[in-house]
Amino acid sequence: MKSQFGERVRELREKQNLYLRQVAPLLEMDTAQLSKIEKGSRLIKREQIQVLADILKADSNELLVLWLADQLYEVVKDEDVALKAMDAAQETLKSNKRNKRNK
Amino acid sequence: MKSQFGERVRELREKQNLYLRQVAPLLEMDTAQLSKIEKGSRLIKREQIQVLADILKADSNELLVLWLADQLYEVVKDEDVALKAMDAAQETLKSNKRNKRNK
DNA sequence: TATTGACTTGTCAAATATTGGCAAATATAA
DNA sequence: TTATATTTGCCAATATTTGACAAGTCAATA
């Protein structure tokens, strides 16, 4: 339920002195939805991250990383083997990257 | 679509000389479903992993790790920042574990 | 203490996604 | 061809997520 993405967005929004009511319409949602996003009970859409980053004058890659990390965490959070699973996935990513690099 | 879990299951099933038709009913599914699971186009349910491990005389934790890793991979596979996101999630996991250990 | 503004929460129907089951297609061997 | 194993496509049933709205809390202040 708690989300690093949401916490960071709130931080950035407050730094810009913006209200939910001001930001939400720019994302074509109501304040209730944006509030839930900041609280971590809803996911923002991937394409909206860039829009939000622009509004908050923030780095969209930073937000994207947090948004993805929240979802990764969600998959394994209750698992004893969470770290092992992460290692395995990381291995796969790395080896796929190697293959991609060599076309 | 390709899945480490599925590939490993197939490997184990063949090592035990079992047909889909023999294994599927033990998991209360039809062969088509199990085939899809091995091919990575469907997810097995978490509780079924233990059952499957018993049938295949395999380590259920090994299978669980692969099953989770597939899902983690799915989240970030098309992302440039995949590895960064994994690192961030890993950090969260580790720090939560620290907090849990100290209650 | 009444009002206002910002945010939060609950609910629920609509939109999406996932699953289960069947039938037909494919593959391989005899 | 026939038989057996596996794969694929489809679709209805089920489950999950989303969007929208109303009502709620909370804090500041008139």
Side-chain angles (χ1 to χ4, degrees), chain B residues 68-84:
Chain B
L68 292 168
D70 283 344
Q71 290 168 77
L72 293 172
Y73 179 76
E74 198 54 32
V75 171
V76 294
K77 63 172 193 275
D78 297 325
E79 302 288 351
D80 290 344
V81 297
L83 283 168
K84 278 186 195 176

Side-chain angles (χ1 to χ4, degrees), chain B residues 2 4 6 10 17 22 40 55-56 61 66 81 86 96:
Chain B
K2 120 173 320 196
Q4 304 204 214
R10 174 143 307 187
N17 290 302
Q22 300 175 285
I55 297 167
L56 302 178
N61 263 338
L66 296 176
V81 297
M86 298 267 318
N96 285 5

Side-chain angles (χ1 to χ4, degrees), chain A residues 4-34:
Chain A
Q4 309 209 87
F5 176 84
E7 286 174 10
R8 183 74 177 118
V9 167
R10 174 142 306 186
E11 200 172 288
L12 290 162
R13 178 172 62 79
E14 287 173 347
K15 191 155 58 179
Q16 298 291 324
N17 289 301
L18 294 169
Y19 298 128
L20 289 177
R21 147 175 82 71
Q22 300 175 285
V23 176
L26 302 173
L27 295 164
E28 303 179 275
M29 59 178 68
D30 68 4
T31 62
Q33 268 177 94
L34 185 51

Side-chain angles (χ1 to χ4, degrees), chain A residues 36-88:
Chain A
K36 283 170 190 169
I37 287 166
E38 289 186 352
K39 299 291 235 171
S41 75
R42 292 269 167 121
L43 264 189
I44 200 171
K45 289 202 178 66
R46 215 214 101 118
E47 327 83 77
Q48 294 177 310
I49 294 174
Q50 178 66 61
V51 179
L52 189 53
D54 291 346
I55 296 168
L56 302 179
K57 308 194 196 313
D59 176 7
S60 75
N61 262 339
E62 183 211 343
L63 292 182
L64 177 57
V65 165
L66 296 176
W67 181 79
L68 291 169
D70 284 344
Q71 290 168 76
L72 292 172
Y73 179 75
E74 199 53 33
V75 171
V76 293
K77 65 171 193 275
D78 297 326
E79 301 287 352
D80 289 344
V81 297
L83 285 167
K84 277 187 196 177
M86 297 268 314
D87 285 344

Side-chain angles (χ1 to χ4, degrees), chain B residues 3 5-6 9 23 27 29 33-34 36-38 40-53 55-56 63-64 67 71:
Chain B
S3 105
F5 175 84
V9 167
V23 176
L27 294 164
M29 59 177 69
Q33 272 178 89
L34 186 51
K36 285 169 190 169
I37 287 166
E38 288 185 352
S41 74
R42 293 271 166 119
L43 264 189
I44 200 171
K45 290 201 177 65
R46 216 213 101 119
E47 328 82 77
Q48 294 178 309
I49 295 175
Q50 177 66 62
V51 179
L52 188 53
I55 297 167
L56 302 178
L63 293 181
L64 176 57
W67 181 80
Q71 290 168 77

